[in-house]
Each structure stands twice: as C-alpha cells, then as structure tokens.
C-alpha cells in the first residue's frame, strides 16, 4: 500500500484549472513536498524504489516509475489490471 500512497500523493497536487501540479516526483526533493506533513513516512517508499530509479535513470522518469509501482502494487495485491502509459515529466529541484 505504501507505493500506492506515494503515487497518490505525488499526483494529488494536480490543479486542472491552473494546469499545475500532478505526478511529477516532487517529493524526491527534501526542500519541497517531501517535508509536508501529509507526506510523512513516504521516504520509506522512495528508498524502496531508489535502486530501481538508479537502474532506469535516463530511460524512465521518476514520476513514471512511481506511478508504475502503484499499478504493479494494485495488481500484486489482487486488484484489477490498471491501464498505464509513460510520459510524466520530473519536476526540477526546489529553489
């Protein structure tokens, strides 16, 4: 469930009216959303996925990996097959 929570919290900032936020792996920056109270404990999920992030660096964005991890988690827990497609961009570093 923690991988689903990571993806949910990453995507949960989407604002359709403003066209901002969404799944962009902002929580990988400690100065940004990683420190928000609602994201407490998600460092565990980020650490679990870091070796995979390192292995696919340059071939897959972190945002895509986090969302794919949630899809795989749903299916691994007996849930339905969830359609998935790549294309998420990673956010830049927090200034």
């Amino acid at each position: 469930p923690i991988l689903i929570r990571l993806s949910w919290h990453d995507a949960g900032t989407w604002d359709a009216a403003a066209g901002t936020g969404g799944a962009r792996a902002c929580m990988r920056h400690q100065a940004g959303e990683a420190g928000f109270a609602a994201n407490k404990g998600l460092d565990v999920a980020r650490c679990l996925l870091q070796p995979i992030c390192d292995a696919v660096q340059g071939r897959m964005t972190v945002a895509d990996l986090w969302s794919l991890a949630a899809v795989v988690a749903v299916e691994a827990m007996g849930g339905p097959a969830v359609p998935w497609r790549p294309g998420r961009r990673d956010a830049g570093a927090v200034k």
Side-chain angles (χ1 to χ4, degrees), residues 37-71:
N39 296 329
K40 188 173 180 95
L42 290 177
D43 56 320
V44 173
R46 291 191 308 270
C47 287
L48 285 171
L49 293 174
Q50 191 57 53
I52 301 168
C53 286
D54 294 342
V56 300
Q57 186 175 15
R59 293 178 287 148
M60 179 181 234
T61 64
V62 177
D64 272 349
L65 177 64
W66 289 2
S67 69
L68 181 59
V71 166

Side-chain angles (χ1 to χ4, degrees), residues 18-44:
T20 59
R24 60 198 198 288
C26 278
M27 287 180 282
R28 70 187 195 287
H29 303 297
Q30 291 302 318
E33 293 178 12
F36 292 3
N39 296 329
K40 188 173 180 95
L42 290 177
D43 56 320
V44 173

Side-chain angles (χ1 to χ4, degrees), residues 11-24:
T13 59
W14 173 247
D15 181 340
T20 59
R24 60 198 198 288

